[in-house]
Amino acid sequence: MTYRYITTPIYYVNDRPHLGHAYASIHADIMARYLRAAGHQVVLLTGADEHGEKIAKAAMQANEAPDAFAQRHARSFEDAWRRLAVGSDVFVRTSSAAHSRVVSACLTRLYEAGEIYLADYEGLYSVGQERFVTEKELVNGKLPEDREPPVVRRESNYFFRMEVHREWMRRLLRDTPDLIQPAQYRHEILRLLEEPIGDLSISRPVERLAWGIPIPWDASHVTYVWFDALLSYVSPLGYPDGADFTHYWPSATHVIGKDILRTHTLFWLAMTHALGITPYRRLLVSGHLLGADGRKMSKSLGNGVDPLAAAQTFGVDALRYALVREVSFGFDGIITNEVIEQRLNRDLADDLGNLVSRTLAMVHRYRAGIVPAPGAYTAGEEAIMARAASLPEVVLMLVEEMKLGRAVEQVMAFVTALNGYVATSAPWTLAKDPALAKRLDTVLHTLLEGLHAVSSLLSPVMPASMGQLRALLGDGGEPGWNVPWGEGVTAGAGVRQGILFPKRREAGVAGPTMSR
Ligand code: MSP
């Protein structure tokens, strides 16, 4: 057994989640489920990033105290993940006392070690991204992901000596080619590290922002939200000496979006290095989901798809499937209601759903709904069995690299092969000749076993429907992994008929979008 630790970003709880947020969470959840199925001991962490200006401002606009506001929104994230089948083991809240204690302890340690100092600072600050930005990052006077241009800020801040870790970071990235994936993001950071990165402002004066973790030795400052949030990856594990930290941290895999790449490399790697924490094992960086207008899906642009409404319309599993299938991890991609609907109708209803209903209908028609025992295998069955046997390893390899779309594609190609097998073995012809009864048994059994294998292979992506499929096949148990051929279904047991993915007929009708 090995321990595996996977994290989603800790979301700003200034609003409800949109599909862009769901993209990272669903990917992390699917990876966690695959690894769990394969026998790893997995912890999946998600949570709420509750401090900082963004939340304080949103709370003020809502005429609510920041803690009450953050709590209400954190709950709506928790609820959304539950409804989208994102089964996290830990939901960290940065306003919790336990987390604050860890942040304070880390700050004190670094301050006492001389890694933090007080200085005046003037620079351009993006309120949207909660950080100082450089001129170089601006396009037409603002960050591409912001609506407002950055503002000039001058204030006394505590600084964390980040620059002194630059050489170490460069070496780490150079020596660990799989640390940041896909590779283009590692190259981007390596280029950035060729020049000085400066030190990091890690405090805000209380008179400007009171909503944060106080700097332990100076009550006139609160902790910068990123310094606080990044530590939420370790605080729930009982850092520094909790057993969970010892077990899980060495495998830490952070799943993030590309807009928070710098904070997760420059800031987080330097922080961990300064604190003597081994660096995370992997940083998996997604591209952005774009709205129908081709721009990054975001609440402020009003081009977001509401994941909960989409789940209601298409089914949670179809939504999860479409997300991983449509937009390759690491790249930007457009996802619209039309695209989700097409995936549902074509892949899930036509290819997989039809295979399921045809197979079960034939078992009912020809074998009274009872799983037949197979007879001798021919080359056709041998090919199906060989493919089924090789898939778990292939799928896991792709999952480890977060190539979920390709993993799913492999399984769907197996579904296509099973559909081809139905056509070539023509059970309806075999059924006409009593002398071919054993041959028909073999074909039906092969199809049922094949479907059982599909249910295991796709369960992490579509947990509810694949559970339903297992139940139709007479297996009421937990999803298996790499189940030996012949042990998926039980000869003599009954199967039921049912429709897994009802097709949506109103193709072209506009689906849910998110109101501003
Ligand atoms: N609170 C920080 C993260 C702290 S992690 C220690 C934050 N929060 S966020 O809510 O603004 O964004 C969370 C994640 O959602 C980021 O990884 C971001 O990339 C992702 N997405 C937000 N919109 C997105 C898309 N349109 N597409 C894909 N992911 C996007 O940043």
Side-chain angles (χ1 to χ4, degrees):
M1 182 192 65
T2 44
Y3 294 100
R4 297 293 297 263
Y5 181 43
I6 303 171
T7 68
T8 76
I10 309 302
Y11 299 95
Y12 287 130
V13 285
N14 54 342
D15 218 321
R16 289 174 298 146
H18 60 65
L19 202 58
H21 302 125
Y23 186 77
S25 283
I26 288 175
H27 270 80
D29 173 74
I30 293 175
M31 176 181 255
R33 285 177 192 262
Y34 272 115
L35 295 181
R36 229 174 258 136
H40 298 284
Q41 184 83 23
V42 182
V43 162
L44 173 64
L45 169 134
T46 189
D49 193 350
E50 302 188 10
H51 290 132
E53 260 170 79
K54 218 194 266 251
I55 313 293
K57 210 167 141 184
M60 207 163 71
Q61 278 160 3
N63 215 0
E64 218 173 332
D67 51 350
F69 176 88
Q71 166 152 342
R72 191 160 59 80
H73 282 276
R75 285 222 181 99
S76 89
F77 270 77
E78 248 181 309
D79 178 54
W81 301 145
R82 203 171 24 249
R83 285 160 68 185
L84 295 171
V86 173
S88 67
D89 303 287
V90 182
F91 189 95
V92 61
R93 293 187 52 196
T94 56
S95 69
S96 69
H99 173 72
S100 292
R101 271 197 300 276
V102 170
V103 173
S104 305
C106 290
L107 284 166
T108 304
R109 241 184 84 191
L110 294 178
Y111 187 56
E112 285 171 358
E115 301 252 14
I116 290 175
Y117 62 91
L118 186 67
D120 274 345
Y121 185 76
E122 182 174 291
L124 292 171
Y125 191 84
S126 152
V127 177
Q129 305 309 309
E130 297 269 21
R131 63 182 177 90
F132 282 101
V133 297
T134 59
E135 292 278 0
K136 267 197 262 173
E137 291 180 74
L138 306 182
V139 180
N140 295 331
K142 63 177 196 59
L143 286 181
E145 55 267 46
D146 278 353
R147 262 203 308 183
E148 309 282 341
V151 291
V152 176
R153 253 188 203 166
R154 184 189 163 77
E155 60 192 30
S156 232
N157 281 182
Y158 283 99
F159 283 82
F160 162 56
R161 296 188 197 279
M162 184 162 74
E163 173 64 24
V164 294
H165 301 282
R166 182 160 66 93
E167 256 324 296
W168 171 81
M169 286 193 259
R170 284 181 81 181
R171 247 195 337 268
L172 177 73
L173 263 66
R174 268 202 310 256
D175 297 348
T176 328
D178 65 348
L179 188 75
I180 302 173
Q181 290 173 13
Q184 72 258 28
Y185 298 113
R186 172 171 162 261
H187 296 312
E188 181 182 328
I189 298 302
L190 271 170
R191 272 195 305 276
L192 211 74
L193 288 171
E194 283 168 17
E195 295 192 20
I197 53 171
D199 290 342
L200 176 65
S201 152
I202 54 145
S203 75
R204 299 290 177 266
V206 164
E207 72 255 18
R208 182 157 69 69
L209 178 70
W211 178 231
I213 299 175
I215 293 288
W217 60 88
D218 184 344
S220 66
H221 283 80
V222 296
T223 310
Y224 170 47
V225 66
W226 270 103
F227 189 93
D228 163 357
L230 287 162
L231 285 166
S232 72
Y233 291 143
V234 295
S235 64
L237 296 181
Y239 170 78
D241 44 22
D244 281 347
F245 181 72
T246 315
H247 290 146
Y248 287 98
W249 180 254
S251 67
T253 299
H254 298 311
V255 180
I256 61 159
K258 67 177 182 183
D259 54 327
I260 54 174
L261 174 61
R262 286 176 190 217
T263 49
H264 279 77
T265 46
L266 312 187
F267 298 9
W268 187 218
L269 285 174
M271 282 167 66
T272 47
H273 191 225
L275 286 162
I277 301 175
T278 46
Y280 48 76
R281 177 65 196 85
R282 259 169 350 145
L283 184 66
L284 302 176
V285 188
S286 85
H288 284 152
L289 282 195
L290 311 176
D293 57 358
R295 302 180 65 185
K296 179 187 170 194
M297 201 179 270
S298 78
K299 179 70 184 166
S300 54
L301 290 174
N303 61 352
V305 171
D306 179 346
L308 296 178
Q312 190 119 46
T313 309
F314 305 107
V316 173
D317 285 352
L319 172 66
R320 289 166 62 101
Y321 175 87
L323 269 185
V324 301
R325 193 72 206 274
E326 272 304 316
V327 183
S328 300
F329 191 82
F331 299 89
D332 292 356
I334 295 193
I335 186 112
T336 60
N337 290 301
E338 287 69 26
V339 158
I340 306 172
E341 183 169 289
Q342 266 178 23
R343 285 290 179 189
L344 166 62
N345 285 346
R346 291 184 194 164
D347 300 18
L348 299 179
D350 288 350
D351 295 349
L352 177 54
N354 269 349
L355 175 67
V356 171
S357 40
R358 281 161 93 191
T359 303
L360 295 173
M362 289 191 290
V363 176
H364 274 267
R365 192 170 323 130
Y366 306 136
R367 293 294 178 262
I370 303 297
V371 180
Y377 291 127
T378 67
E381 287 83 41
E382 301 284 357
I384 298 279
M385 283 157 59
R387 199 154 174 174
S390 68
L391 270 173
E393 198 186 325
V394 173
V395 165
L396 273 185
M397 223 173 61
L398 292 165
V399 166
E400 287 284 5
E401 294 176 13
M402 205 48 121
K403 293 180 176 154
L404 302 186
R406 284 190 43 206
V408 165
E409 206 179 315
Q410 299 284 330
V411 184
M412 291 310 282
F414 179 58
V415 169
T416 306
L418 286 173
N419 273 318
Y421 173 74
V422 176
T424 51
S425 50
W428 44 90
T429 312
L430 301 175
K432 288 184 192 142
D433 184 350
L436 297 175
K438 204 61 212 166
R439 179 73 202 130
L440 179 59
D441 284 352
T442 308
V443 171
L444 293 178
H445 184 269
T446 302
L447 287 170
L448 292 170
E449 268 303 321
L451 282 176
H452 193 276
V454 169
S455 79
S456 306
L457 290 161
L458 290 183
S459 175
V461 181
M462 302 187 283
S465 353
M466 292 304 103
Q468 218 182 322
L469 173 56
R470 276 196 316 281
L472 294 179
L473 295 170
D475 171 3
E478 290 297 303
W481 186 253
N482 217 348
V483 179
W485 191 266
E487 291 180 22
V489 292
T490 314
V495 297
R496 285 188 288 122
Q497 285 184 268
I499 294 178
L500 277 191
F501 299 102
K503 207 163 172 169
R504 258 180 66 86
R505 305 251 166 234
E506 307 94 299
V509 169
T513 50
M514 218 158 167
S515 54
R516 276 173 200 244

